[in-house]
Protein backbone atom coordinates (compact mmCIF):
# COMPACT_ATOMS: atom_id res chain seq x y z
CA UNK A 1 0.00 0.00 0.00
CA UNK A 2 1.25 3.50 -0.81
CA UNK A 3 1.57 6.34 1.70
CA UNK A 4 -1.34 8.37 0.41
CA UNK A 5 -3.64 5.37 0.58
CA UNK A 6 -2.57 4.35 4.08
CA UNK A 7 -1.93 7.41 6.24
CA UNK A 8 -4.83 9.80 5.46
CA UNK A 9 -7.39 7.08 6.13
CA UNK A 10 -5.85 5.92 9.41
CA UNK A 11 -5.34 9.45 10.71
CA UNK A 12 -8.88 10.42 9.73
CA UNK A 13 -10.39 7.56 11.69
CA UNK A 14 -8.36 8.34 14.80
CA UNK A 15 -8.21 12.14 14.60
CA UNK A 16 -9.88 12.79 17.94
CA UNK A 17 -7.60 10.44 19.89
CA UNK A 18 -4.59 11.98 18.18
CA UNK A 19 -5.71 15.50 19.07
CA UNK A 20 -6.28 14.64 22.73
CA UNK A 21 -2.87 13.06 23.11
CA UNK A 22 -1.02 15.86 21.32
CA UNK A 23 -2.79 18.67 23.15
CA UNK A 24 -1.96 16.95 26.43
CA UNK A 25 1.77 16.83 25.79
CA UNK A 26 1.80 20.32 24.23
CA UNK A 27 0.16 21.82 27.30
CA UNK A 28 2.72 20.09 29.53
CA UNK A 29 5.56 21.45 27.40
CA UNK A 30 6.78 17.97 26.44
CA UNK A 31 6.33 18.13 22.64
CA UNK A 32 9.70 19.83 22.34
CA UNK A 33 10.14 19.31 18.60
CA UNK A 34 6.87 21.00 17.74
CA UNK A 35 7.39 23.74 20.34
CA UNK A 36 10.78 24.48 18.79
CA UNK A 37 9.09 24.85 15.40
CA UNK A 38 6.85 27.56 16.86
CA UNK A 39 9.93 29.35 18.20
CA UNK A 40 11.79 29.11 14.90
CA UNK A 41 8.88 30.42 12.83
CA UNK A 42 8.68 33.44 15.15
CA UNK A 43 5.29 34.47 13.79
CA UNK A 44 4.40 38.14 14.18
CA UNK A 45 1.16 40.13 13.87
CA UNK A 46 0.12 40.58 10.26
CA UNK A 47 2.04 37.59 8.88
CA UNK A 48 0.53 34.94 6.64
CA UNK A 49 1.66 31.48 7.80
CA UNK A 50 1.18 28.07 6.19
CA UNK A 51 0.91 25.01 8.48
CA UNK A 52 1.75 21.89 6.45
CA UNK A 53 0.35 18.51 7.53
CA UNK A 54 -1.52 20.46 10.19
CA UNK A 55 -3.49 17.54 11.62
CA UNK A 56 -6.26 18.79 13.93
CA UNK A 57 -4.77 22.30 13.95
CA UNK A 58 -2.65 22.00 17.08
CA UNK A 59 0.07 24.35 15.82
CA UNK A 60 -2.28 26.33 13.58
CA UNK A 61 -4.28 27.61 16.55
CA UNK A 62 -1.12 28.81 18.25
CA UNK A 63 0.11 30.57 15.13
CA UNK A 64 -3.30 32.22 14.72
CA UNK A 65 -2.88 33.90 18.09
CA UNK A 66 0.61 35.11 17.20
CA UNK A 67 -0.28 36.64 13.81
CA UNK A 68 -3.31 38.49 15.16
CA UNK A 69 -4.28 41.19 14.43
CA UNK A 70 -4.16 41.38 10.69
CA UNK A 71 -2.55 38.02 9.94
CA UNK A 72 -3.81 34.68 8.68
CA UNK A 73 -2.86 31.03 9.13
CA UNK A 74 -3.78 28.32 6.62
CA UNK A 75 -3.58 24.69 7.69
CA UNK A 76 -3.49 21.88 5.12
CA UNK A 77 -3.60 18.12 5.58
CA UNK A 78 -4.38 15.13 3.38
CA UNK A 79 -6.56 13.47 6.07
CA UNK A 80 -10.18 14.70 5.77
CA UNK A 81 -10.92 13.63 9.33
CA UNK A 82 -8.15 15.85 10.65
CA UNK A 83 -9.35 18.85 8.66
CA UNK A 84 -12.94 18.34 9.81
CA UNK A 85 -11.76 18.35 13.42
CA UNK A 86 -9.56 21.42 12.86
CA UNK A 87 -12.40 23.38 11.28
CA UNK A 88 -14.58 22.79 14.34
CA UNK A 89 -12.28 25.04 16.40
CA UNK A 90 -11.07 27.39 13.66
CA UNK A 91 -10.53 31.02 14.61
CA UNK A 92 -11.64 33.93 12.39
CA UNK A 93 -8.08 34.31 11.07
CA UNK A 94 -7.45 30.63 10.36
CA UNK A 95 -8.76 28.25 7.73
CA UNK A 96 -8.17 24.64 6.80
CA UNK A 97 -8.04 22.75 3.51
CA UNK A 98 -7.67 19.11 2.50
CA UNK A 99 -4.49 19.31 0.45
CA UNK A 100 -1.41 17.30 -0.47
CA UNK A 101 1.79 18.99 0.76
CA UNK A 102 3.46 17.66 -2.39
CA UNK A 103 0.93 19.54 -4.56
CA UNK A 104 0.01 22.86 -2.95
CA UNK A 105 -2.67 24.90 -4.72
CA UNK A 106 -1.31 28.27 -3.57
CA UNK A 107 0.39 30.83 -5.79
CA UNK A 108 4.14 31.38 -5.70
CA UNK A 109 5.48 33.59 -2.90
CA UNK A 110 2.16 33.82 -1.04
CA UNK A 111 3.28 33.15 2.57
CA UNK A 112 5.59 34.89 5.04
CA UNK A 113 6.47 31.63 6.82
CA UNK A 114 5.67 27.93 6.80
CA UNK A 115 5.74 25.20 9.44
CA UNK A 116 5.35 21.46 9.67
CA UNK A 117 5.11 19.60 12.97
CA UNK A 118 5.92 15.91 12.57
CA UNK A 119 4.53 15.60 9.05
CA UNK A 120 7.34 15.56 6.49
CA UNK A 121 8.10 11.92 7.29
CA UNK A 122 4.80 10.90 5.64
CA UNK A 123 5.61 12.53 2.30
CA UNK A 124 6.77 9.81 -0.10
CA UNK A 125 8.59 12.42 -2.18
CA UNK A 126 10.43 14.58 0.34
CA UNK A 127 12.14 16.60 -2.38
CA UNK A 128 8.78 17.54 -3.88
CA UNK A 129 7.29 18.52 -0.51
CA UNK A 130 10.30 20.73 0.28
CA UNK A 131 10.24 22.29 -3.19
CA UNK A 132 6.55 23.12 -2.82
CA UNK A 133 7.17 24.73 0.57
CA UNK A 134 9.98 26.78 -0.96
CA UNK A 135 7.81 27.81 -3.92
CA UNK A 136 4.99 29.33 -1.87
CA UNK A 137 7.30 31.29 0.45
CA UNK A 138 8.18 34.91 -0.13
CA UNK A 139 11.81 36.08 -0.24
CA UNK A 140 13.35 36.27 3.25
CA UNK A 141 10.71 33.82 4.55
CA UNK A 142 11.53 30.80 6.68
CA UNK A 143 10.23 27.25 6.96
CA UNK A 144 10.57 25.32 10.22
CA UNK A 145 9.77 21.63 10.58
CA UNK A 146 10.14 18.86 13.12
CA UNK A 147 10.32 15.14 12.44
CA UNK A 148 10.68 12.10 14.71
CA UNK A 149 13.99 10.42 13.96
CA UNK A 150 14.58 7.75 16.59
CA UNK A 151 13.21 6.07 19.67
CA UNK A 152 15.97 5.75 22.22
CA UNK A 153 16.93 2.32 23.51
CA UNK A 154 15.66 3.15 26.99
CA UNK A 155 12.32 4.39 25.69
CA UNK A 156 9.24 2.68 27.04
CA UNK A 157 7.94 2.59 23.45
CA UNK A 158 10.68 0.25 22.36
CA UNK A 159 9.70 -2.18 25.10
CA UNK A 160 5.98 -1.77 24.62
CA UNK A 161 6.26 -2.26 20.87
CA UNK A 162 7.71 -5.72 21.53
CA UNK A 163 4.47 -6.64 23.29
CA UNK A 164 2.29 -5.03 20.60
CA UNK A 165 4.20 -6.79 17.82
CA UNK A 166 3.80 -10.12 19.59
CA UNK A 167 0.03 -9.72 19.92
CA UNK A 168 -0.88 -7.81 16.78
CA UNK A 169 1.88 -8.58 14.34
CA UNK A 170 3.87 -5.98 12.40
CA UNK A 171 2.47 -2.53 11.66
CA UNK A 172 1.36 -1.82 8.07
CA UNK A 173 4.11 -0.32 5.95
CA UNK A 174 3.85 2.04 3.02
CA UNK A 175 5.91 0.72 0.12
CA UNK A 176 7.11 4.21 -0.90
CA UNK A 177 8.33 5.45 2.49
CA UNK A 178 11.94 4.30 2.72
CA UNK A 179 13.68 7.15 0.85
CA UNK A 180 11.99 9.80 2.98
CA UNK A 181 12.55 7.95 6.25
CA UNK A 182 16.22 7.45 5.42
CA UNK A 183 16.63 11.14 4.58
CA UNK A 184 15.04 12.55 7.73
CA UNK A 185 16.99 10.13 9.93
CA UNK A 186 20.26 11.71 8.76
CA UNK A 187 20.65 15.43 9.47
CA UNK A 188 23.10 15.86 6.59
CA UNK A 189 20.72 14.22 4.13
CA UNK A 190 17.83 16.33 5.39
CA UNK A 191 19.84 19.52 5.09
CA UNK A 192 20.98 18.63 1.58
CA UNK A 193 17.43 17.84 0.51
CA UNK A 194 16.37 21.33 1.64
CA UNK A 195 19.27 22.96 -0.20
CA UNK A 196 18.42 20.99 -3.33
CA UNK A 197 14.84 22.25 -3.02
CA UNK A 198 16.07 25.85 -3.24
CA UNK A 199 16.48 26.95 0.36
CA UNK A 200 19.66 28.94 0.84
CA UNK A 201 20.57 27.90 4.38
CA UNK A 202 19.60 25.12 6.76
CA UNK A 203 20.02 24.63 10.51
CA UNK A 204 19.19 21.22 12.00
CA UNK A 205 18.88 20.45 15.73
CA UNK A 206 18.42 17.09 17.45
CA UNK A 207 16.06 17.30 20.42
CA UNK A 208 15.34 14.71 23.09
CA UNK A 209 11.71 14.55 24.11
CA UNK A 210 10.59 12.97 27.36
CA UNK A 211 6.87 12.38 27.77
CA UNK A 212 5.54 11.42 31.20
CA UNK A 213 2.30 9.59 31.83
CA UNK A 214 0.38 9.34 35.09
CA UNK A 215 0.21 5.56 34.82
CA UNK A 216 0.69 2.63 32.48
CA UNK A 217 -3.09 2.47 32.10
CA UNK A 218 -3.25 6.07 30.91
CA UNK A 219 -0.47 5.54 28.41
CA UNK A 220 -2.05 2.40 26.98
CA UNK A 221 -5.44 4.11 26.78
CA UNK A 222 -3.87 6.67 24.43
CA UNK A 223 -2.46 4.06 22.09
CA UNK A 224 -5.02 4.58 19.35
CA UNK A 225 -3.52 8.04 18.76
CA UNK A 226 -0.38 6.45 17.34
CA UNK A 227 -1.19 5.52 13.78
CA UNK A 228 0.81 2.27 13.69
CA UNK A 229 -0.96 0.78 16.71
CA UNK A 230 -4.33 2.21 15.69
CA UNK A 231 -4.16 0.59 12.28
CA UNK A 232 -3.46 -2.81 13.82
CA UNK A 233 -6.16 -2.51 16.49
CA UNK A 234 -8.74 -2.00 13.75
CA UNK A 235 -8.17 -5.58 12.69
CA UNK A 236 -8.49 -7.07 16.19
CA UNK A 237 -11.72 -8.74 17.25
CA UNK A 238 -13.87 -6.65 19.60
CA UNK A 239 -13.47 -9.03 22.55
CA UNK A 240 -9.70 -8.74 22.58
CA UNK A 241 -9.48 -5.02 21.63
CA UNK A 242 -11.92 -4.20 24.42
CA UNK A 243 -9.39 -5.55 26.93
CA UNK A 244 -6.63 -3.27 25.61
CA UNK A 245 -4.78 -2.35 28.82
CA UNK A 246 -4.96 -5.94 30.06
CA UNK A 247 -3.67 -7.72 27.00
CA UNK A 248 -1.04 -5.09 26.22
CA UNK A 249 0.48 -5.76 29.63
CA UNK A 250 0.17 -9.53 29.42
CA UNK A 251 3.32 -11.31 30.60
CA UNK A 252 5.35 -8.14 31.12
CA UNK A 253 8.76 -8.28 32.70
CA UNK A 254 9.33 -6.18 35.79
CA UNK A 255 11.30 -3.83 33.59
CA UNK A 256 8.25 -3.18 31.43
CA UNK A 257 6.07 -2.47 34.43
CA UNK A 258 8.57 -0.14 36.05
CA UNK A 259 9.30 2.00 33.01
CA UNK A 260 5.70 2.14 31.82
CA UNK A 261 4.90 4.37 34.79
CA UNK A 262 7.79 6.74 34.11
CA UNK A 263 8.41 8.20 30.68
CA UNK A 264 9.21 7.58 27.06
CA UNK A 265 12.27 9.38 25.71
CA UNK A 266 12.49 9.80 21.95
CA UNK A 267 14.60 11.88 19.58
CA UNK A 268 13.13 14.46 17.24
CA UNK A 269 14.75 16.76 14.74
CA UNK A 270 13.84 20.43 14.37
CA UNK A 271 15.06 22.24 11.28
CA UNK A 272 14.95 25.82 10.08
CA UNK A 273 15.10 26.28 6.30
CA UNK A 274 15.80 29.87 5.31
CA UNK A 275 14.72 31.37 2.01
CA UNK A 276 16.93 34.40 1.51
CA UNK A 277 17.12 34.39 -2.27
Amino acid sequence: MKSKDLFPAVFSRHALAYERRLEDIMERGEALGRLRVIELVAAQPGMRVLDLACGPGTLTRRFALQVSPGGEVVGVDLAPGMIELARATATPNSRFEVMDIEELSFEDESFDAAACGHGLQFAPQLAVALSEARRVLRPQARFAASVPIERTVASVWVMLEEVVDRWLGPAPRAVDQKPTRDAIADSKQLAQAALDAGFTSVDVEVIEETVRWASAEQMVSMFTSWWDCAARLEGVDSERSGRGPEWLRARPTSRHRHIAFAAGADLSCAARFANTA
Side-chain angles (χ1 to χ4, degrees):
M1 185 178 295
K2 292 187 175 181
S3 299
K4 295 176 187 180
D5 296 320
L6 172 62
F7 298 125
V10 172
F11 277 108
S12 288
R13 291 192 292 269
H14 299 276
L16 184 57
Y18 177 94
E19 180 186 42
R20 288 171 176 169
R21 191 253 306 174
L22 184 53
E23 282 293 343
D24 186 35
I25 62 175
M26 287 287 289
E27 289 299 322
R28 297 203 308 267
E30 294 177 341
L32 297 182
R34 294 176 177 90
L35 291 170
R36 183 59 175 150
V37 165
I38 295 174
E39 293 177 353
L40 291 172
V41 168
Q44 301 294 321
M47 289 178 63
R48 191 167 190 244
V49 178
L50 175 62
D51 187 6
L52 298 167
C54 66
T58 305
L59 298 190
T60 322
R61 287 189 290 272
R62 289 160 172 82
F63 286 129
L65 292 173
Q66 293 176 339
V67 302
S68 181
E72 180 189 33
V73 183
V74 181
V76 301
D77 200 287
L78 200 53
M82 288 289 191
I83 293 299
E84 181 181 359
L85 194 58
R87 286 172 174 166
T89 57
T91 59
N93 67 335
S94 65
R95 62 185 176 90
F96 298 91
E97 302 291 341
V98 176
M99 195 179 300
D100 188 344
I101 65 173
E102 294 180 357
E103 193 175 350
L104 299 175
S105 64
F106 308 110
E107 295 182 358
D108 295 357
E109 300 184 3
S110 53
F111 290 92
D112 299 303
C116 186
H118 279 34
L120 284 178
Q121 70 271 22
F122 296 113
Q125 300 181 86
L126 179 62
V128 175
L130 290 172
S131 294
E132 279 292 273
R134 166 66 178 82
R135 179 184 64 79
V136 302
L137 287 173
R138 297 180 178 125
Q140 308 302 319
R142 66 177 61 175
F143 171 37
S146 63
V147 289
I149 56 175
E150 182 182 341
R151 285 179 172 170
T152 60
V153 175
S155 171
V156 65
W157 306 121
V158 174
M159 302 168 195
L160 194 52
E161 281 170 352
E162 295 175 1
V163 180
V164 176
D165 288 346
R166 187 164 64 246
W167 280 80
L168 300 182
R173 297 297 178 202
V175 297
D176 52 0
Q177 275 280 289
K178 191 176 188 304
T180 293
R181 299 285 175 160
D182 288 346
I184 66 170
D186 184 313
S187 60
K188 292 183 179 179
Q189 285 192 50
L190 178 59
Q192 189 59 53
L195 293 172
D196 292 343
F199 290 96
T200 54
S201 66
V202 182
D203 294 310
V204 180
E205 308 171 16
V206 176
I207 300 170
E208 182 171 327
E209 297 184 333
T210 300
V211 178
R212 294 175 174 81
W213 304 98
S215 66
E217 286 78 7
Q218 183 205 14
M219 183 185 67
V220 171
S221 72
M222 300 293 287
F223 239 52
T224 57
S225 64
W226 277 273
W227 76 267
D228 53 351
C229 188
R232 286 180 283 180
L233 282 172
E234 290 175 348
V236 176
D237 61 85
S238 59
E239 179 182 356
R240 188 165 58 155
S241 62
R243 303 198 314 268
E246 177 184 342
W247 65 260
L248 276 173
R249 293 197 309 276
R251 301 180 184 174
T253 65
S254 59
R255 186 184 184 198
H256 282 90
R257 288 196 300 267
H258 174 72
I259 297 182
F261 282 89
D266 302 324
L267 295 180
S268 289
C269 167
R272 172 188 172 186
F273 310 128
N275 171 20
T276 57

